[in-house]
Amino acid sequence: MTSPAFAALPTPLADLLSSRRFGRIVVFSGAGMSEDSGIPTFRSGSNGLWSAFDPQQLATPEAWHRDRALVWGWYEWRRGLVAAARPHPGHVALARLQREAGAGIVTQNVDDLHERAGATDVVHLHGSLFAPRCETCGTPAQLPPPPAGDPAQRLEPPRCERCPALIRPGVVWFGESLEPAVVDKASRHIAACDLLVIVGTSGTVYPAAGLVALAADGVPVLEINPQRAEVASNVDFRWRSTAAQALPLLVEALLEAGTADHKC
Ligand code: OAD
């Protein structure tokens, strides 16, 4: 008899998870992970942020130098969106998978929804909306709660408490390098995993998207995405579902597989 946890999965995935146990699971997430919490993605149809806004005007060092109030206002709007959002059952399931099975979580997201669901070790490849820092000396800044605002609001960035420079968003912009230590940690996680779960990314932004290719030959790669995505050539299983729907089912089955012999 198949247990309910496995019956809820697509058959090829249920077959895989019932054939062996996975001890080093890594989840690689993108903006679609937070879509079910009401945070817009960048490229999903007409709702994507990059349909409404030009990344060259908002998410590059040149944009920042050209018009800091515009850029700061846009990121404060986004910080407000995230602060008002709540983690969904998929975030909660991944936090449980980390707590109970030591899963690694590598994200391109700059929100804190994985952490607010209970994950304690999240690798943020593209930085964080909640880690602003001085543009000159790098001193981290404490910000008050974000103001209620709109994406076109102009806000003057605050000044650093240590030097006369301004505070900038703690995210990685187009044209900037990813933090080497962060890339190194993400790479080690992925290269050592024995199951890679890719969720909610279009796989179009490098070098982050290229990291999924570091999974060793023969390591099963599962993609969860309601749409077709060109994430990686090494995807073995495509589950056309959302993060909020699929991840609780997946985690339930993985934890059941890890704790009991469910083949009966
Ligand atoms: P994208 O907006 O490019 O892709 C989001 C993906 O999520 C798409 O493939 C959607 O089909 C999928 N998706 C939508 N809803 C979903 C749901 N409910 N559950 C699961 N998947 C869903 O976002 P990213 O791939 O994360 O970079 O974008 C990568 C980078 O581009 C971002 O980190 C950001 C952006 O410019 C920087 O800011 C540097």
Side-chain angles (χ1 to χ4, degrees), residues 30-32 35-36 41-44 50 108-109 126 172 174 200-205 224-227 229 241-243:
E35 211 272 344
D36 296 314
T41 68
F42 296 96
R43 298 176 186 81
S44 294
W50 295 152
Q108 297 165 91
N109 296 346
H126 290 162
V172 179
F174 291 107
T201 179
S202 60
T204 49
V205 175
I224 296 170
N225 195 317
Q227 309 280 331
S241 185
T242 63

